[in-house]
Amino acid sequence: MTTNKTFLGVPVARPKVAFFELSSCEGCQLQLLNNEATLLDFLSLVEVVRFREGMKEASDDYEIAFVEGSITRRDEEERLRVIREQAKVVVALGSCACFGGVNQLKNRFNDLEWVKKEVYGSFPIETQKVKPLSAVIKVDLEIYGCPIKKEEVERIVTALVLGEQIHHPQYPVCMECKARENICLFDLGEPCLGPVTRAGCDAWCPSNRLGCWGCRGPAPEANLSQLQIIMAERGISQERMIDRLECFGGFAAFVAEVKEKKGEPK
Amino acid sequence: MTTNLECLPPVSGGEFEYSYKAEITNVYPLTRMEKLYQIQLVDPMERERFIFRPGQFVMLELPGIGEAPFSITSSPVRHGDLELCIRAVGNMTMFLDRVGRGTRVGISGPFGTHFPVERMEGEDVLLIAGGLGIAPLRSPILSVLETRSRYGQVDIIYGARRPSELLFDYEYAMWRQFDVGLDIIVDREEPGWQGPVGLITEILKERIAKGQSDRFRERTSAIVCGPPVMFRFVCDLLIAAQVPVEKIFVSLERRMHCGRGKCCRCNIGSTYTCLDGPVFDYWSVLNLKEAI
Amino acid sequence: MLFKVFAASELSRLFEILSVNRIVGPVKKGEDQHGRSLYDFDVVHDIAELHLDYGQTIHSAKNYFLPYRENLCTFTFQDEGSGDGGDWHKEVDYGVYAPLVLFGLHPCDINALNKLDKVLLGGRYPNPFYGEKRANMFIVGHSCSPQPFCFCKSMGTDSAIRGFDLFLTRMDDLYFAEILSPRAFHLLEQIDCHDPDSREHHRYMDLMEAKEALYVAHVDTSDLTKILDLEFQASVWQEWGQKCLSCGTCAQVCPTCYCYGVEEQVDMDFTRAHKEKRLYSCNLLDFAAVAGGHNFRPESHTRLKYRYYHKHRGFVEAFEESLCVGCGRCGQSCLAHITVPEVIASVRASKEEHDDD
């Protein structure tokens, strides 16, 4: 069903949207179901034709595909290609889809067979190196976060439906953290990736006294060399810093660079 | 006993967020990228009282989508019956590209400095535009043409990348009727183009070669609009031809968020483009860091 | 100016008299990893929460006069879906319904307001969002003890001569009060106070003299506007730019940074839209970007330089005083240790380098 809405005289269609999950916890989709107060408005904006977390029916007639999760198996690549064929717009939903997310932590081990054995024992399972969606298909839009922030998704989807350009903040989390008048985590002796991580989460973690783990990936022009100095000055080891930077995969290129300098395998 | 401080009545400044309700009365596609929007203030009284000078800009607001500054491209005699020439390039302008006649928008302004065409009376005037620079230049062009007899020699030089990107080409014949030199040049040829191909500076050099240096020194004013690279070269030529720096006027582009000297987004060094500009004489430009 | 003196124990009376109003003052927010107290401005309900002995707050009090986020207007759309373009209504609300008492501002922060008044309340378009809040403010200033990073003395903002209702200087068991408004005068009528005698005058002056000696940080501002112009291409800017995180922290904690951006947002049901002002920072990557993608200040050092330019040169040109009040907050909060005294000293030093040539 498509109603004929207009905004400033411009016809606005109610697009059919579908939600898909690859390797993930489906927590990002659950985020969308949180806060029932705005759920009806969200549903008036788009027509959801597939959403495993919230409905039984599943249609393959959709225009916008929200794909959560990263790719860890060959069949997921195939599934994703089919989605790309069908959808006009493919949205990578959450850090797993954008960067590989927590799943890609296993990529840091050279021997993936050993990883498989440690985790699954003798259980037969296919698992490969973790990839973000963009490694397999063209992604039109990325929505960052682990999990995503519902308010941000609502803003982005409204803009998408209106046919507006989508802009992500160009500044790091510190900007939003200061606006919430938090105590700087570094003053408490905690490491924090706020100075280099793309904002948009409204400093969710630092506002709860948890240092940023960089789930939204690097801000454009993130000053990572200065971050290393900041960490070192405060006696935070490079291992600890790398642990954080590696957690969601957004800083993969920089981590590889640091490891190479240290002479470690990537 | 306690002291309950009273809340004072609202301070003045109600016009800060005030915008005129206006209606898009006509939209004309000019090229692949640009459209001419005719926008009329809805209230006849406000429309009549809307007085601007050539070179000034307005903030155009699409409620919920955004607000952005645009030079007025129409003649000041039209008051609040404005024409804006807009390229669909940002979020707001791309949405604007989709709206049609009858859409209600917000207009605030006029803001900023203007081209002092009244001070140029009795003099030769050189009006030079590159690319979209013709949009802010059209207002002083029309202004000068409307009072043509008050000026000496009037020359318009306009350069665009391709013939298909020339703006207002339907008006050139009309401009020429007012005894003006109109030279048009394009960077790249297209089938059917009969005019010259090359850089705008080449035409300007020819014009300068034809002129007399004492006239440039003593009775010539120039208005230059276009991309920063272009007007640096153009202004250098004008200065070499002895046109005084304080009689060369340029319009600078910055992204204002308020238009009222409060948001700082359009600052150059310490100058507000929205208050002290967008029209600057070249003397001021020379004194600005990072202006071009 | 009128002066009064009252016993320190009377302060709670003063607070109580004002307490029917919303009071904002310095409160303790926690301790850093070395056990040092961290302060910020917040709403105070009880005088026990008020830490008038604070050295400096992390953030300025600007959220109460220049909020980080502020709704500029709300649009309501009519005849939505009618197809004739649809009409809308714009509603502007300055959002000030009650006065605010700022209790315990140091001279630097009072001077910050005085400076902001010049640019935000002056000119052709006074900003009513700020003006409304300023008009409904009752300011009780409080004396301070200069911190190692304070350089207000250099900026001429170490004492406030206007811009407050009442200024309190602590003299052991006494408060020396400067009264600037009739409201403050009537307030003091309600507590036990007296006119200062000459001995108290001298105590006050001795205290002021003693404060002078406590300043550690200094900024040489002589000829600074010219030096900033002449050293526009100095290599030190690039060095500072390499450190800069372009994170906007300095602007967010600054009591005088007022730059902003505007964003509009349509409600999901298309019936309303909001236009929001968000404080921005000239250090942020896209501060000077224009439609179409051109960025007039793409490198971090050009943005950092611009920040110094506006504070220490541009504002001086416009108002004959610097926009910086020397509170030192930006340097304290900067993770890359970019401090005003050091940046300005380095720019001056590059002048001396040429002198050696």
Side-chain angles (χ1 to χ4, degrees), chain B residues 254-256 261-276 280 288-291, chain C residues 119 258-259 282 287-288 296-297 306 309-310 314-315:
Chain B
R254 287 296 185 279
R255 177 66 175 95
M256 294 103 179
K262 303 293 180 240
C263 80
C264 285
R265 297 301 284 272
C266 67
N267 282 24
I268 304 168
S270 46
T271 302
Y272 286 89
T273 313
C274 65
L275 297 180
D276 309 313
F280 292 94
L288 288 175
K289 301 283 182 198
E290 308 176 329
Chain C
V119 61
Y258 59 91
C259 302
C282 50
F287 183 85
F296 283 94
R297 286 190 284 274
Y306 170 76
Y309 239 71
H310 187 199
F315 204 82

Side-chain angles (χ1 to χ4, degrees), chain B residues 28 30 35-38 52-55 71-76 78 81-85 115 117 127-129 131-146 156 158 167-172 174-175 223 225:
Chain B
Y28 302 104
L30 294 179
K35 284 180 177 172
L36 184 71
Y37 295 86
Q38 288 187 336
F52 72 93
R53 321 285 282 281
S71 291
I72 305 168
T73 199
S74 46
S75 156
R78 292 175 58 125
D81 197 352
L82 306 166
E83 288 178 336
L84 305 179
C85 171
F115 296 112
V117 285
L127 299 131
I128 306 167
L132 197 51
I134 195 73
L137 198 74
R138 183 169 168 259
S139 187
I141 288 176
L142 297 176
S143 240
V144 167
L145 297 187
E146 278 152 13
I156 302 169
Y158 171 34
L167 295 160
F168 306 110
D169 49 356
Y170 55 89
E171 266 184 15
Y172 303 158
M174 185 270 282
W175 295 357
I223 296 178
C225 300

Side-chain angles (χ1 to χ4, degrees), chain C residues 25-42:
Chain C
V27 301
K28 187 173 162 176
K29 285 284 169 173
E31 285 177 1
D32 73 6
Q33 56 177 328
H34 309 294
R36 280 186 292 251
S37 297
L38 301 168
Y39 303 98
D40 252 332
F41 289 101
D42 208 338

Side-chain angles (χ1 to χ4, degrees), chain A residues 230-246:
Chain A
I230 291 167
M231 296 277 187
E233 277 174 353
R234 285 157 178 81
I236 297 160
S237 69
Q238 199 174 49
E239 285 67 30
R240 249 182 117 189
M241 180 186 77
I242 289 175
D243 265 359
R244 270 199 188 221
L245 288 165
E246 267 187 331

Side-chain angles (χ1 to χ4, degrees), chain C residues 229-247:
Chain C
D229 250 0
L230 294 169
E231 295 302 333
F232 197 74
Q233 302 300 345
S235 59
V236 285
W237 289 118
Q238 260 144 44
E239 289 162 30
W240 290 113
Q242 263 176 6
K243 290 171 186 262
C244 180
L245 293 152
S246 302
C247 69

Side-chain angles (χ1 to χ4, degrees), chain A residues 120-191:
Chain A
Y120 297 103
S122 57
F123 190 81
I125 194 162
E126 188 216 325
T127 172
Q128 60 186 30
K129 209 169 172 199
V130 175
K131 285 186 272 193
L133 305 192
S134 59
V136 175
I137 57 156
K138 178 181 163 280
V139 172
D140 302 296
L141 178 64
E142 292 184 322
I143 298 182
Y144 309 107
C146 182
I148 51 159
K149 187 128 180 121
K150 185 171 178 173
E151 294 80 4
E152 193 188 27
V153 178
E154 289 174 347
R155 179 180 64 77
I156 289 175
V157 172
T158 308
L160 204 60
V161 169
L162 286 170
E164 289 190 85
Q165 292 176 330
I166 312 296
H167 292 289
H168 288 292
Q170 301 280 294
Y171 44 81
V173 174
C174 289
M175 185 72 188
E176 292 174 340
C177 193
K178 288 287 170 278
R180 306 230 3 208
E181 301 205 333
N182 296 320
I183 293 174
C184 181
L185 269 303
F186 283 107
D187 283 341
L188 300 174
E190 295 278 323

Side-chain angles (χ1 to χ4, degrees), chain C residues 203-218:
Chain C
R203 260 179 88 183
Y204 175 77
M205 286 190 279
D206 288 346
L207 207 66
M208 292 298 104
E209 210 179 292
K211 184 182 158 185
E212 302 260 307
L214 295 174
Y215 286 99
V216 179
H218 299 280

